[in-house]
Amino acid sequence: RKLSFVEPDGQKIIESDIPAKFLDMTQQARLELVSDVGCVDDAIFKMYFDREEIPDSKLVAAIRRATIDRLAVPILFGSSLRNWGVQT
């Protein structure tokens, strides 16, 4: 999904489909993310190796476990100046 912050203060967020011209790039990026998380999480590795569909919830949980165990450091992007991606 694509998130767009449409107001100057970033308070209004519109969720939409990823534009077709970016689908290949986003699918490749997700595949790389799954591969990297699989290096530190056995359950994700098994699902990846068996070519199973990996739900977002399992991927997020694996990233959380890896972060808590200090095996990975997730990096997020946003802009506090424009209030983009920093909402709670």
Side-chain angles (χ1 to χ4, degrees):
R1 304 291 299 161
K2 174 188 164 194
L3 299 178
S4 299
F5 301 89
V6 293
E7 293 182 3
D9 62 359
Q11 293 302 309
K12 185 174 181 179
I13 302 169
I14 296 176
E15 188 173 339
S16 61
D17 291 331
I18 297 170
K21 67 181 180 180
F22 296 118
L23 279 178
D24 288 340
M25 183 174 50
T26 56
Q27 289 170 346
Q28 181 62 34
R30 187 179 195 282
L31 186 61
E32 289 177 25
L33 175 66
V34 169
S35 176
D36 290 345
V37 173
C39 290
V40 296
D41 189 275
D42 291 338
I44 296 296
F45 176 78
K46 183 178 182 326
M47 293 175 77
Y48 175 75
F49 188 73
D50 293 341
R51 298 187 185 272
E52 293 178 31
E53 181 66 31
I54 300 172
D56 291 344
S57 59
K58 288 192 186 248
L59 190 57
V60 169
I63 293 170
R64 177 173 164 68
R65 285 191 301 273
T67 303
I68 290 169
D69 293 341
R70 291 195 255 175
L71 299 171
V73 178
I75 298 174
L76 308 172
F77 295 93
S79 171
S80 59
L81 178 64
R82 293 194 173 101
N83 210 24
W84 293 351
V86 295
Q87 290 78 2
T88 57

